Amino acid sequence: CGEVPLFMKEFMHAVSKSDMFVALGTSGVVYPAAGLVSMAPESCDKVLINMDSSENVSAFDKQVIGPASKKVSEFFESVPL
């Protein structure tokens, strides 16, 4: 309870500079991790890959539903380089 992940400042800095933010397997309610998507720039593509919709799904631009073991590779194969 009340634990802050190691390297949280580094995570926040990286997210604030990102072009794409992808969250995997999250309920969207456990903070501080659930708040990282809100730190991404407006121009950043925000993608949720999850078995179900999450509590903070409205913060994402795209939602991919299904098992990560399948959907992660499918998603990244579709991303243009």
Side-chain angles (χ1 to χ4, degrees):
C1 179
E3 293 181 18
V4 176
L6 295 174
F7 308 108
M8 193 62 189
K9 286 182 183 177
E10 290 84 353
F11 292 149
M12 292 176 0
H13 177 75
V15 169
S16 73
K17 304 288 184 198
S18 63
D19 295 327
M20 179 180 286
F21 179 89
V22 179
L24 304 171
T26 178
S27 64
V29 296
V30 179
Y31 285 82
L36 286 173
V37 66
S38 66
M39 296 175 194
E42 186 69 31
S43 61
C44 176
D45 292 324
K46 300 165 200 79
V47 181
L48 172 66
I49 301 175
N50 213 11
M51 287 297 291
D52 299 302
S53 192
S54 71
E55 291 285 325
N56 63 344
V57 69
S58 63
F60 292 89
D61 302 312
K62 181 176 183 170
Q63 178 178 215
V64 178
I65 299 294
S69 59
K70 181 178 179 184
K71 297 300 181 177
V72 170
S73 60
E74 286 178 3
F75 172 74
F76 282 104
E77 287 171 2
S78 73
V79 174
L81 297 177

